[in-house]
Amino acid sequence: MWTRQHKQRNTGRLIIPSLCVLFLAYFGFHAYHGEFGIYSKYRLQAEAAELQARLDAVKARRVDFERRVQLLHEGTLEKDMLDEQARKALNLSQPDEITIMLPASAK
């Protein structure tokens, strides 16, 4: 009768825990850095805040434009507004006048 003497190896005990660690590391990495991960959540929140600020700025400009257009409607025509627009469009003024044009962003 043959008997084999095998030396006890510890590598067999490490296979399942090492596979579990690799499995958890892989999914942990993708849970943080993946397309729908935690990092992406913060990046999307920052982008949403930036876009909301841009939307607010555009809405403010629109309100300003609507107010300026309202001044040009018939019946409520304001002479100063008409004079300002004509001077801008034609780039003309009288020789004895001082004209100070503000940039559009300063208004």
Side-chain angles (χ1 to χ4, degrees), residues 2-100:
W2 282 21
T3 59
R4 290 188 177 189
Q5 299 292 329
H6 289 288
K7 189 176 184 182
Q8 278 283 345
R9 294 183 193 160
N10 289 335
T11 57
R13 295 180 190 174
L14 296 177
I15 291 174
I16 299 224
S18 62
L19 288 176
C20 288
V21 166
L22 289 174
F23 182 79
L24 290 175
Y26 175 79
F27 284 107
F29 176 80
H30 288 288
Y32 186 76
H33 292 288
E35 187 178 351
F36 301 105
I38 297 169
Y39 179 70
S40 295
K41 173 186 171 189
Y42 295 129
R43 191 179 68 232
L44 287 174
Q45 286 175 346
E47 185 179 348
E50 177 186 338
L51 290 174
Q52 185 64 40
R54 285 179 55 194
L55 177 65
D56 294 341
V58 168
K59 282 183 177 179
R61 283 186 62 202
R62 180 179 175 180
V63 167
D64 184 49
F65 285 145
E66 286 177 351
R67 182 188 56 81
R68 291 174 65 87
V69 167
Q70 188 64 33
L71 292 174
L72 294 174
H73 277 274
E74 188 177 328
T76 62
L77 189 62
E78 210 173 289
K79 290 181 182 177
D80 289 335
M81 183 71 169
L82 181 64
D83 185 47
E84 176 188 341
Q85 294 299 320
R87 288 178 191 273
K88 269 188 185 176
L90 300 175
N91 198 18
L92 295 174
S93 65
Q94 299 295 329
D96 60 344
E97 291 179 339
I98 298 173
T99 306
I100 301 172

